[in-house]
Amino acid sequence: MSAFPLTRLRRLRRTDALRGLVRETRLDLDDFVMPLFVGPEAMANTELPGLGRHSVDSVVAEADQLTSLGVRAVILFGIPEEKDDEGSGAYEDDGIVQRALRALDGSGLVLLTDVCLCEYTSHGHCGVIRDREVVNDETLELIVRTAVSHVEAGADAVCPSGMMDGHVGAIREELPDTPIVAYSAKYASSFYGPFRDAAESAPAFGDRRGYQMDPANVREALRECEQDIAEGADVLMVKPALPYLDVIRAVRERFDLPLAAYNVSGEYAMVKAAAAQGFMDERQGAIESLTAIKRAGADLVISYWTKELASWL
Ligand code: PBG
């Protein structure tokens, strides 16, 4: 191995074109998924445009815009008109996501759906509550109903995000042909704050640490992935992304399934807020963040920057 002064690593950094030739990681719009929120009424979010809310009508117009920018996939989240204890808005035939899916039929976008109850329950937890606890096995039935109704309405893939044990297998049993993107390693994270505002899904009491993962653990993330694979998952996911790049890397090295990473609302909001204060450049911060997530080993990335990225690339 040669060393300085024979070796000078700066030689390949001299011009933009040279740096481009030796770049190891690139951003390709094909790998990105844009989250979309659909509710009874459209509602702009000027500070966090990616977290604005669409109506069923405006989501169709947004899909047209995304397609013309080159975006290929979206993941839908619903905010129902009314919430109840069992989250019935999640699995109604004419629920908000089901109506959006039908309206988006023919959009040409890959339609993914988040399969969870927290946006639909009056208590804001991701399952059925008994004695102030989310009960696992009773919740499974409602999750399966939600996934099946999404597929009947036109979803191309379902993404169970509630961290219930056995939810991937329960869905797989009913939907043998549907791709399942499993939120396998989903941590109980403070970085979901802006999402919970946008989706009105903050828990009314307690927190989600009884079902989402402890941020301190990585071996447990591998066990979650192992379980999801055994239950029939097609894609694994790590969420959040930036504070968990080591987890993305560990999952990438251990398993051969496609790996998704969710660049969550707080990661997006931090850069937006810092840029608004003049502390950093948003576009550079976004591209650096997304490149880091890909470099760590993610194949696909769910990001609120997807639409802006499409206009930047
Ligand atoms: C639903 C769900 C959440 C997110 C995605 N799906 C919220 C949560 O678990 O509290 C968060 C996404 C984000 O912060 O961007 N369970």
Side-chain angles (χ1 to χ4, degrees):
M1 206 187 302
S2 64
F4 177 83
L6 203 58
T7 299
R8 289 180 182 269
L9 291 170
R10 287 182 54 190
R11 281 176 207 137
L12 293 173
R13 295 183 198 143
R14 238 185 55 245
T15 66
D16 196 46
L18 271 172
R19 290 190 294 271
L21 281 174
V22 297
R23 185 158 297 132
E24 299 173 31
T25 309
R26 272 172 221 284
L27 300 182
D28 181 339
L29 216 45
D30 281 2
D31 301 335
F32 283 83
V33 181
M34 179 70 194
L36 293 176
F37 297 89
V38 191
E41 274 166 52
M43 225 193 277
N45 185 332
T46 47
E47 279 161 64
L48 300 171
L51 286 132
R53 196 182 290 181
H54 292 281
S55 64
V56 171
D57 289 333
S58 77
V59 83
V60 175
E62 180 71 10
D64 277 346
Q65 236 188 65
L66 290 170
T67 315
S68 65
L69 284 165
V71 173
R72 312 292 300 272
V74 297
I75 179 166
L76 299 178
F77 295 93
I79 301 108
E81 195 118 28
E82 280 171 35
K83 306 186 187 230
D84 58 34
D85 278 356
E86 315 260 279
S88 58
Y91 39 87
E92 275 164 4
D93 203 35
D94 64 343
I96 188 79
V97 165
Q98 290 80 355
R99 286 195 286 134
L101 284 165
R102 290 193 186 96
L104 289 170
D105 180 36
S107 68
L109 290 164
V110 179
L111 303 175
L112 296 98
T113 60
D114 186 81
V115 175
C116 194
L117 301 178
C118 61
E119 292 118 65
Y120 305 89
T121 51
S122 36
H123 45 72
H125 279 287
C126 303
V128 179
I129 300 280
R130 302 265 178 257
D131 299 325
R132 293 175 76 81
E133 267 209 53
V134 176
V135 290
N136 196 88
D137 299 12
E138 253 178 274
T139 299
L140 294 184
E141 191 196 322
L142 302 184
I143 287 173
V144 172
R145 277 169 71 178
T146 304
V148 169
S149 78
H150 287 176
V151 171
E152 284 172 354
D156 296 305
V158 294
C159 314
S161 70
M163 290 302 279
M164 294 301 124
D165 285 323
H167 61 176
V168 170
I171 293 172
R172 176 54 74 222
E173 214 168 289
E174 292 301 315
L175 296 170
D177 297 323
T178 302
I180 299 177
V181 179
Y183 284 73
S184 305
K186 177 172 177 179
Y187 289 87
S189 172
S190 56
F191 289 86
Y192 307 150
F195 172 99
R196 290 181 188 170
D197 275 348
E200 296 173 3
S201 67
F205 64 88
D207 52 45
R208 301 206 203 292
R209 287 183 289 184
Y211 39 103
Q212 297 180 348
M213 278 186 56
D214 185 335
N217 295 352
V218 61
R219 294 197 307 269
E220 187 187 352
L222 300 175
R223 294 186 70 198
E224 283 284 0
C225 290
E226 222 161 62
Q227 292 287 314
D228 286 351
I229 295 169
E231 290 176 30
D234 299 288
V235 178
L236 303 170
M237 196 195 305
V238 173
K239 175 186 175 188
L242 289 176
Y244 297 88
L245 294 179
D246 60 320
V247 181
I248 294 175
R249 169 57 46 189
V251 172
R252 164 79 298 134
E253 279 171 6
R254 178 82 71 94
F255 304 105
D256 291 328
L257 277 76
L259 175 58
Y262 200 139
N263 172 226
V264 301
S265 57
E267 301 170 37
Y268 171 76
M270 279 200 301
V271 175
K272 286 266 181 204
Q277 295 277 310
F279 293 152
M280 64 193 285
D281 179 77
E282 184 192 350
R283 178 175 164 166
Q284 282 176 27
I287 289 181
E288 185 176 334
S289 298
L290 298 172
T291 302
I293 294 166
K294 296 283 302 182
R295 190 198 61 228
D299 298 298
L300 53 147
V301 182
I302 303 177
S303 176
Y304 302 94
W305 272 305
T306 298
K307 186 179 182 184
E308 287 153 294
L309 182 68
S311 62
W312 294 334
L313 287 181

